Amino acid sequence: QVQLVESGGGLVQAGGSLRLSCAASGRTFRQYAMGWFRQAPGKERVFVAAISWSGGRTNYVDSVKGRFTISRDNAKNTVYLQMNSLKPEDTAAYYCNAVLDLSGGNYVYAWGQGTQVTVSS
């Protein structure tokens, strides 16, 4: 079973930046598109961004377009989320997962522990 380990979260002021990482164990990482999701307190987990297995195609939810960038390094079994111009509404626990399509509608593995991002105003 693939394990997903997210890291890089923290407390940042509005307008700041963070870079999240997600390390995946197992050989199947390269076979799948990968996605980032987030869950704010009291809310459901929602899709944020996805990247194809090759890295050639990406998709973002409208609220993060132009501010967030997803990337991956298949040699390191790692996917990244560069977050710039952060806003208080970006505050959430962030999770990654393999996905079956770039809309993030179907995830593959059990969720990791996530990494908390808190943006202060």
Side-chain angles (χ1 to χ4, degrees):
Q1 176 71 329
V2 171
Q3 289 188 322
L4 303 166
V5 180
E6 300 91 347
S7 62
L11 174 63
V12 63
Q13 288 187 333
S17 298
L18 285 172
R19 188 194 194 203
L20 307 184
S21 298
C22 168
S25 63
R27 300 178 182 178
T28 59
F29 173 84
R30 305 173 191 186
Q31 300 176 6
Y32 288 107
M34 292 294 295
W36 282 97
F37 300 77
R38 65 187 179 187
Q39 186 170 20
K43 297 188 177 181
E44 294 185 351
R45 186 159 20 214
V46 296
F47 169 75
V48 175
I51 187 167
S52 62
W53 67 269
S54 68
R57 291 181 296 139
T58 58
N59 185 41
Y60 299 90
V61 67
D62 285 347
S63 60
V64 307
K65 284 181 180 177
R67 300 189 298 122
F68 290 12
T69 303
I70 188 171
S71 61
R72 67 189 295 163
D73 185 338
N74 287 340
K76 296 181 178 180
N77 279 14
T78 301
V79 61
Y80 304 98
L81 187 67
Q82 178 66 44
M83 306 187 296
N84 299 328
S85 302
L86 282 162
K87 304 176 181 180
E89 51 263 44
D90 295 318
T91 295
Y94 283 72
Y95 301 85
C96 69
N97 211 322
V99 293
L100 299 181
D101 57 74
L102 294 188
S103 70
N106 295 285
Y107 60 88
V108 177
Y109 300 121
W111 296 101
Q113 84 288 349
T115 187
Q116 178 67 36
V117 172
T118 302
V119 184
S120 62
S121 57

